[in-house]
Amino acid sequence: MGLNNIIKVIFLFSLISPSVFASKLPELATKQDVSNLRFISSSGKFTYYQNSNGQLLLSTNFKVSTTLKLQERTHYSLTSSYARKLITIEANENYHNFLSLRKRNKIYTIAYGEDKSKLVGEGSNPRLHFNDKLISFYDTYSKEISLYDTSTYREMAKIKINGKVNPFFRPEIATSDLSTVYYTDINSNGVQAILKLDRKTKKTTVSLKAPSPLFKYELCESKERIYIGEFPLSSKKGGSLISFIEKGKDDFSKRTIIYSSESQDLGNLICNNEAQKIAFIQRDKQADETELVEINTQDKSIKKLSDLKNVTSAINMDSRLLIPHYGKIYLVKGDNNLPFIDKLDQTKTTEVSK
């Protein structure tokens, strides 16, 4: 879930008193107004934020530069991957006057920590893959996934999605290498499947198929693995399952299962926050509560990360795990000394100059 969706959640619940939801989690502390914040590096050395004039700005080393300037009140959403070589930008120029889940937005890339942007195409939900060598995004009108090489920005593949039953279906995408693409699709009966495209042979095969329309798949890509989440949309239709395959080993029937439950977990897989750790939103069936938890993929142990009782979304922002909740953004994992980083650097610089 990107920061644009976080701001929507904050707006929707801003009128509800936060005192009802007492938590031991700290709120995210930043120099920027959190509603303008779009991305903070793991070190806190640079920040991307936007203003109402349609500018996306980069703040670093006590300097501010313009990354993009589009129409007034353009809304920007930024994401990165485990590789930290590129950052994607999704620019919604009609964010406040044209609300549509199917809208095409401008997709850009920038080098990690830089301010020079490159226009890639139009669509939504951009993602970086395979050490940031590939970028994908989805066009909800043409129902096509576009895949580009980020070194030349040449189109590598265009994948047509079925999507007749559900026009709001968004495919999940992961890559094993430069030639192997996994993506989710939905058939005429509403049943989801994970498909594999071999770009060398141009053949598409089914890797995994859901047992009924009341299941959804999630794909999450780390440096060495592809994680698969299988989550029921109804509590009466089975439980949740999380597994993985090593990149380059394409037999989904031999995938390694690291979690199974009879509960209707929400999912929201996050697999690029910390090595050998997977975060997702788990449902406590008895208490009917949802919390963010973390699985250690080596020993399969589970650790509860939140205490908010009804977590519905979470994001990874360059090694920080964040939860938007009733008008606040809570920091679950990661550094929270961001307002003091520049001051510390300035002190060091002054001492050296003396």
Side-chain angles (χ1 to χ4, degrees):
M1 182 177 183
L3 276 176
N4 59 335
N5 293 321
I6 280 185
I7 304 305
K8 289 180 184 177
V9 173
I10 288 175
F11 174 75
L12 288 173
F13 293 106
S14 61
L15 299 180
I16 301 177
S17 172
S19 62
V20 180
F21 308 101
S23 173
K24 295 180 180 180
L25 293 172
E27 291 185 53
L28 180 66
T30 68
K31 297 177 185 178
Q32 302 294 335
D33 184 338
V34 70
S35 63
N36 295 327
L37 176 67
R38 292 298 171 263
F39 188 92
I40 305 175
S41 67
S42 57
S43 64
K45 298 297 184 181
F46 65 84
T47 302
Y48 293 95
Y49 64 98
Q50 71 170 69
N51 60 27
S52 60
N53 294 328
Q55 289 180 302
L56 179 66
L57 304 167
L58 168 65
S59 173
T60 182
N61 296 326
F62 309 104
K63 296 179 181 179
V64 175
S65 58
T66 300
T67 300
L68 274 173
K69 180 171 175 57
L70 300 175
Q71 296 180 22
E72 286 191 5
R73 301 192 180 278
T74 294
H75 195 282
Y76 298 96
S77 178
L78 279 66
T79 59
S80 66
S81 77
Y82 60 85
R84 292 190 175 94
K85 294 180 179 180
L86 295 174
I87 296 174
T88 69
I89 304 172
E90 183 176 346
N92 186 341
E93 293 188 277
N94 298 292
Y95 180 76
H96 295 280
N97 54 23
F98 180 49
L99 299 177
S100 173
L101 294 176
R102 300 181 65 194
K103 186 179 181 299
R104 291 189 184 105
N105 297 317
K106 292 180 179 178
I107 307 297
Y108 298 84
T109 60
I110 46 176
Y112 185 82
E114 301 295 331
D115 60 5
K116 304 301 180 185
S117 60
K118 169 71 177 178
L119 178 64
V120 184
E122 290 190 350
S124 62
N125 200 34
R127 290 291 180 267
L128 293 162
H129 308 280
F130 199 63
N131 204 32
D132 290 1
K133 293 179 180 179
L134 297 170
I135 179 175
S136 68
F137 53 90
Y138 180 61
D139 187 329
T140 54
Y141 284 96
S142 65
K143 296 183 176 61
E144 289 178 327
I145 299 170
S146 293
L147 195 71
Y148 281 80
D149 181 335
T150 57
S151 62
T152 63
Y153 287 93
R154 179 172 60 90
E155 187 177 78
M156 305 292 286
K158 194 173 284 291
I159 306 168
K160 189 75 173 179
I161 296 297
N162 189 342
K164 293 180 180 179
V165 175
N166 183 359
F168 301 107
F169 174 76
R170 298 288 185 92
E172 299 275 325
I173 306 161
T175 64
S176 180
D177 51 45
L178 292 176
S179 300
T180 308
V181 183
Y182 293 101
Y183 64 97
T184 58
D185 200 353
I186 184 169
N187 67 15
S188 56
N189 295 318
V191 177
Q192 289 193 27
I194 299 175
L195 305 179
K196 172 191 170 184
L197 170 65
D198 187 329
R199 291 185 48 252
K200 292 180 179 178
T201 62
K202 298 183 179 180
K203 290 183 178 181
T204 301
T205 54
V206 177
S207 295
L208 200 61
K209 186 177 180 180
S212 80
L214 294 176
F215 278 84
K216 68 171 183 175
Y217 285 126
E218 292 185 14
L219 298 176
C220 187
E221 182 178 338
S222 68
K223 185 177 182 180
E224 298 173 342
R225 294 173 176 175
I226 294 175
Y227 290 88
I228 306 104
E230 305 169 50
F231 302 106
L233 301 176
S234 169
S235 59
K236 299 179 181 180
K237 290 296 180 181
S240 305
L241 197 71
I242 299 175
S243 59
F244 70 83
I245 60 169
E246 301 289 345
K247 289 186 175 180
K249 297 180 181 180
D250 302 325
D251 189 350
F252 272 57
S253 67
K254 297 180 180 179
R255 64 193 187 280
T256 301
I257 296 174
I258 57 173
Y259 170 82
S260 63
S261 169
E262 295 181 358
S263 298
Q264 183 192 356
D265 296 323
L266 268 64
N268 198 150
L269 284 184
I270 298 174
C271 68
N272 53 5
N273 176 264
E274 186 178 343
Q276 311 300 327
K277 301 286 181 67
I278 301 295
F280 74 102
I281 300 172
Q282 183 187 57
R283 182 183 300 279
D284 184 329
K285 202 171 183 178
Q286 293 183 340
D288 195 24
E289 297 175 351
T290 54
E291 298 285 5
L292 188 67
V293 301
E294 183 179 70
I295 301 176
N296 185 319
T297 62
Q298 293 180 314
D299 60 16
K300 301 181 183 179
S301 60
I302 298 178
K303 178 182 178 182
K304 187 166 75 170
L305 300 178
S306 63
D307 58 359
L308 298 166
K309 299 185 185 301
N310 59 341
V311 176
T312 57
S313 61
I315 68 164
N316 173 47
M317 186 171 65
D318 209 36
S319 81
R320 287 183 186 84
L321 275 180
L322 306 173
I323 296 177
H325 194 264
Y326 292 96
K328 297 180 179 180
I329 294 182
Y330 291 100
L331 177 71
V332 181
K333 294 183 72 175
D335 182 22
N336 205 27
N337 294 319
L338 300 175
F340 310 104
I341 289 178
D342 282 352
K343 292 180 181 179
L344 291 172
D345 285 350
Q346 192 174 24
T347 301
K348 290 178 182 179
T349 302
T350 303
E351 291 174 353
V352 170
S353 62
K354 286 181 180 180

